[in-house]
Amino acid sequence: MGAVYFYHLTRAPLAETLATLAEKSLQAGWRVEVRGRSDQMLRALDQALWLREGFLPHGLAGGPHDADQPILFTTGAGGNAASCVMSVGGADLAAEDIAALDRACILFDGDDLDAVQHARVQWKTLTAAGAEAQYWSEESGRWEKKAESKKEA
């Protein structure tokens, strides 16, 4: 089973953190699926990536070249053979999803109490199913690992 990393956003905007993580994922040789629950949010993130400095190849699901996209924004399971799925806006990831991946990332807004509670439920559910998990916080001004759950041998 792959690992799931929880990113508690309290300083940097979602688009900035997503771009940083997506860039690192591409450098690792992974294709990325950005899974959200809202087409509107995914379109806004897509636009933010196009407007930032530096090129990150990506596209919105539903086009003729989904399978070729290194980063694919989608509200369902993507079609780009992703090794890394990034959940935004409360999109759920199941233990079965994580088992097939090298990495899963759950990015959540620390100023949204519902998002924080949803992330807590995801942590409990996924670690109970055997996923290795890490919790990262930027509260100090830089990203620091604050908690870790490992599989038992």
Side-chain angles (χ1 to χ4, degrees), residues 95-115:
E96 298 79 29
D97 295 327
I98 294 166
L101 300 168
D102 289 315
R103 173 87 38 90
C105 302
I106 296 174
L107 290 73
F108 62 99
D109 182 351
D111 294 327
D112 180 338
L113 295 178
D114 290 335

Side-chain angles (χ1 to χ4, degrees), residues 61-153:
H65 304 289
D66 286 0
D68 298 325
Q69 296 293 344
I71 303 169
L72 184 66
F73 289 88
T74 181
T75 56
N80 70 335
S83 300
C84 177
V85 172
M86 297 190 187
S87 164
V88 297
D92 285 318
L93 292 175
E96 298 79 29
D97 295 327
I98 294 166
L101 300 168
D102 289 315
R103 173 87 38 90
C105 302
I106 296 174
L107 290 73
F108 62 99
D109 182 351
D111 294 327
D112 180 338
L113 295 178
D114 290 335
V116 172
Q117 182 58 30
H118 184 68
R120 286 181 179 141
V121 170
Q122 287 179 300
W123 175 280
K124 288 177 185 176
T125 301
L126 294 171
T127 56
E132 290 185 31
Q134 293 184 8
Y135 167 74
W136 291 79
S137 171
E138 64 177 344
E139 197 169 40
S140 71
R142 63 185 183 91
W143 286 104
E144 296 178 340
K145 182 169 49 169
K146 297 290 189 174
E148 187 170 11
S149 170
K150 294 190 177 194
K151 287 191 245 182
E152 296 189 21

Side-chain angles (χ1 to χ4, degrees), residues 26-101:
L26 292 180
Q27 290 169 355
W30 298 336
R31 286 182 172 271
V32 177
E33 173 189 311
V34 178
R35 188 180 299 173
R37 294 190 319 180
S38 157
D39 286 329
Q40 181 179 359
M41 174 187 248
L42 293 176
R43 282 192 301 274
L45 291 170
D46 170 65
Q47 185 68 22
L49 287 189
W50 284 118
L51 295 176
R52 71 183 283 277
E53 262 188 60
F55 176 67
L56 279 174
H58 67 281
L60 292 166
H65 304 289
D66 286 0
D68 298 325
Q69 296 293 344
I71 303 169
L72 184 66
F73 289 88
T74 181
T75 56
N80 70 335
S83 300
C84 177
V85 172
M86 297 190 187
S87 164
V88 297
D92 285 318
L93 292 175
E96 298 79 29
D97 295 327
I98 294 166
L101 300 168

